[in-house]
């Protein structure tokens, strides 16, 4: 079955659920299982959840509302439940005067070691975030970033493809000698401030796109990301999700996974003049 029951705490250790309501304890148990699931993962029916956790449907409903409030679940109008994505729960920053978010590499020199470009159907959570149809195609640009040869970050950018665009293809390349390769991302800071440049004919409106929404999260990444960043089992990574808008419409989404021992993320306000 999908969910595992929580074990009792070892003798002498404090029960982390002590003092919480029954619904809060149930929500914590469900959350412990959800964090290991990929965004967009479909949960079992409410009745199956109730049997798994030996609780009533009413208690499941209360726990679901709590997990939705924590941005761990997405509940559709038909009642179906999905593991939420950071792309869906974003803090709008456009129009917030004096507020800025910075990613500080703490003196490290960051360079792109490899880039992988492909075109495929958009993942479900990305389709939701960009307002795309279920079968929409996106250009996916994945980059591995290193410092002194050590993997420190992975970035994945999603750019919707115009109808009738070029057929899907995949390309893997090493960094070029210069920055003149079409679509190449020349610097790490540009990944956080600009959508990826188009290859050949740029996508409509993307040149005028600006960061419009942001999500920052610290959690253990998926196993493939953990291996790529040489993280120890259970070690968390900083996930920064940025949506780029043009003319008040989403045109690109970039997700950057950072090793927390190489980066510091801070939200600051401008000094009062």
């Amino acid at each position: 079955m999908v969910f595992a029951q929580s074990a009792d705490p070892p003798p002498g250790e404090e029960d982390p659920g002590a003092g919480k309501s029954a619904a809060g304890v149930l929500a914590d148990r469900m959350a412990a299982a959800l964090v290991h699931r990929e965004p967009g993962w479909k949960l079992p029916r409410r009745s199956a959840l109730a049997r798994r956790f030996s609780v009533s449907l009413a208690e499941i409903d209360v726990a679901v509302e709590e997990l939705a409030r924590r941005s761990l679940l997405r509940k559709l109008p038909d009642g179906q439940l999905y593991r939420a994505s950071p792309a869906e729960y974003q803090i709008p920053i456009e129009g917030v005067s004096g507020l800025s978010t910075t990613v500080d590499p703490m003196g490290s020199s960051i360079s792109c070691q490899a880039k992988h470009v492909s075109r495929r159907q958009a993942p479900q959570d990305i389709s939701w975030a960009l307002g795309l149809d279920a079968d929409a195609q996106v250009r996916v640009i994945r980059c591995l970033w290193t410092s002194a040869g050590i993997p420190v970050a992975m970035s994945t950018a999603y750019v919707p493809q115009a109808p009738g665009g070029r057929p899907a293809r995949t390309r893997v390349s090493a960094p070029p000698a210069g920055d003149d390769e079409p679509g190449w991302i020349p610097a790490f800071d540009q990944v956080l401030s600009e959508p990826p440049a188009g290859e050949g004919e740029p996508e409509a409106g993307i040149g005028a796109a600006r960061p419009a929404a942001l999500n920052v999260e610290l959690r253990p990444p998926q196993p493939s990301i953990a291996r790529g960043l040489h993280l120890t089992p259970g070690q968390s990574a900083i996930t920064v999700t940025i949506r780029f808008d043009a003319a008040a419409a989403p045109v690109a989404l970039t997700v950057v996974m950072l090793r927390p021992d190489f980066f510091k993320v801070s939200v600051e306000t401008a000094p009062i003049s």
Side-chain angles (χ1 to χ4, degrees):
M1 197 66 176
V2 175
F3 286 95
Q5 295 281 9
S6 299
D8 293 332
E13 290 191 12
E14 183 179 355
D15 184 351
K20 286 191 175 183
S21 66
V25 172
L26 176 59
D28 288 346
R29 292 168 61 196
M30 294 176 65
L34 276 172
V35 295
H36 299 291
R37 293 291 170 179
E38 295 185 3
W41 176 72
K42 183 178 179 180
L43 273 73
R45 296 177 180 273
R46 293 166 55 248
S47 56
L49 292 175
R51 288 194 300 271
R52 164 56 61 178
F53 290 98
S54 302
V55 296
S56 66
L57 288 176
E59 290 174 299
I60 288 292
D61 290 340
V62 173
V64 163
E65 293 301 324
E66 170 63 18
L67 292 175
R69 187 188 66 79
R70 298 184 196 177
S71 302
L72 283 173
L73 283 184
R74 185 178 194 269
K75 186 177 181 180
L76 300 186
D78 62 2
Q80 183 58 61
L81 304 173
Y82 289 88
R83 166 70 163 97
S85 164
E88 300 171 56
Y89 294 90
Q90 300 168 331
I91 304 169
I93 57 175
E94 196 171 45
V96 180
S97 177
L99 186 65
S100 64
T101 303
T102 59
V103 175
D104 180 7
M106 298 188 288
S108 300
S109 177
I110 310 298
S111 60
C112 189
Q113 179 180 345
K115 174 187 175 186
H116 179 281
V117 181
S118 63
R119 290 175 176 81
R120 62 184 180 90
Q121 185 174 324
Q124 190 176 54
D125 57 318
I126 302 302
S127 294
W128 287 335
L130 294 177
L132 303 176
D133 294 334
D135 58 350
Q137 294 284 312
V138 290
R139 181 162 60 97
V140 184
I141 305 99
R142 302 181 188 275
C143 293
L144 174 64
W145 302 87
T146 62
S147 176
I150 301 173
V152 297
M154 288 185 176
S155 63
T156 305
Y158 301 90
V159 182
Q161 296 293 280
R166 287 171 295 178
R169 66 185 180 90
T170 298
R171 175 170 58 82
V172 180
S173 61
D179 293 337
D180 56 349
E181 179 187 355
W184 185 258
I185 302 176
F188 182 71
D189 58 350
Q190 287 182 278
V191 177
L192 302 168
S193 60
E194 303 174 8
E199 299 182 67
E201 292 296 325
E203 287 79 3
I206 197 169
R210 296 291 181 268
L214 172 74
N215 176 276
V216 180
E217 189 175 352
L218 181 66
R219 59 182 172 87
Q222 297 176 15
S224 60
I225 300 294
R227 289 193 298 269
L229 293 179
H230 296 179
L231 297 175
T232 59
Q235 184 178 355
S236 295
I238 303 171
T239 304
V240 180
T241 304
I242 308 147
R243 196 189 72 222
F244 297 92
D245 289 7
V251 295
L253 190 81
T254 297
V255 181
V256 186
M257 308 290 288
L258 309 168
R259 281 188 52 153
D261 48 343
F262 278 84
F263 295 91
K264 179 179 68 174
V265 179
S266 59
V267 179
E268 303 172 342
T269 56
I272 300 176
S273 58

